[in-house]
Amino acid sequence: MRRAGEGTRVLALHGWLDNAASFVPLLAHLPGRDIALLDLPGHGHSSHLPQGASYTTPAAICHVLDVADALGWDTFTLLGHSMGAGIASLTAAVSERVERLIAIEALGGLRGPEEETAQRLRDHVQASRHGSGRPLRVFPTMAAPIRARMMANQLSEANARLLVERGVREVPGGYSWRSDQRLMLPTALRLTEGQIDNLLQAIACPVQVIYATPAQSYYPEPLRSERLKHLRQGQLALLPGTHHVHMERPADVAAIISAFMG
């Protein structure tokens, strides 16, 4: 975990297979904030969960609150991107300690059609018990993983490098990803849209949602905008950009955050 600045307390949660460096470009544009950049379990420099433990959203919520306890924060703002925004949304739904929520490129998490429930669970159990057993890929230099992140996420070289430098470790022959391979397992269970609606309705704090346009294929319109209707105190900002809009347009995203937080 990395701390930056003093002032209003903000806990930042990154996206799937990202790490705390996801929020580094924002820091210079958010003065007067005590921002804790967290590597979620299995990501970045955080430890992997022990064998037998699973990466689930309820466990992630508990982890977020445990970190707040360790920081001595009774109340705080949650800032999340992608998967981190989904975790932040559901944390705000179940904890009154969240004063404000800023959700970038996700709100409430990914849904799963009810008719896919059995197959999804079957795939998860089979993959968890048997796995691929493949060794970690080793890159001879940093150039290859940086290029891979640039292509996969439409990132500039500088921002891809930020994520990769914190996301790899030195091994014999070069570098390999630090992230736990179990993060790639099929999700065991996903919430239905009705369950997500119920959780969003439970969020009592003010919420600022930031979406990049055009929408991602897995989180399309009008679904993503319709979710805002379930918030008690929600507002939306749209920015032309890609999924990592907070990294590629940090000044614009920070301006929205600062206006929301006051």
Side-chain angles (χ1 to χ4, degrees), residues 103-208:
I104 303 173
E105 278 290 278
L107 182 65
L110 292 175
R111 65 177 176 175
E114 292 181 2
E115 62 272 17
E116 296 178 4
T117 302
Q119 186 61 52
R120 181 174 295 280
L121 183 58
R122 184 179 296 114
D123 291 344
H124 173 82
V125 170
Q126 181 170 348
S128 297
R129 297 190 67 240
H130 302 294
S132 65
R134 291 180 297 179
L136 284 173
R137 182 179 177 185
V138 176
F139 303 96
T141 69
M142 296 279 281
I146 290 171
R147 187 166 54 250
R149 288 306 305 255
M150 291 174 66
M151 295 177 63
N153 300 121
Q154 298 175 278
L155 285 167
S156 67
E157 182 177 356
N159 285 328
R161 182 177 295 276
L162 276 175
L163 293 175
V164 169
E165 287 180 345
R166 192 171 180 85
V168 299
R169 58 189 176 91
E170 287 194 59
V171 297
Y175 303 88
S176 68
W177 297 113
R178 286 181 178 271
S179 53
D180 192 337
Q181 289 182 294
R182 290 178 294 163
L183 293 167
M184 302 290 290
L185 292 175
T187 306
L189 296 169
R190 282 188 179 173
L191 298 170
T192 66
E193 197 63 31
Q195 289 173 314
I196 292 172
D197 292 347
N198 179 261
L199 287 161
L200 295 177
Q201 291 160 11
I203 299 175
C205 68
V207 182
Q208 173 68 67

Side-chain angles (χ1 to χ4, degrees), residues 30-78:
L30 291 173
R33 318 288 181 190
D34 181 2
I35 305 178
L37 310 181
L38 179 65
D39 282 332
L40 290 164
H43 295 79
H45 287 215
S46 283
S47 299
H48 298 181
L49 293 180
Q51 291 300 316
S54 299
Y55 292 94
T56 66
T57 298
I61 293 170
C62 291
H63 182 74
V64 170
L65 296 175
D66 288 343
V67 169
D69 289 345
L71 292 169
W73 291 359
D74 293 330
T75 58
F76 51 92
T77 292
L78 275 179

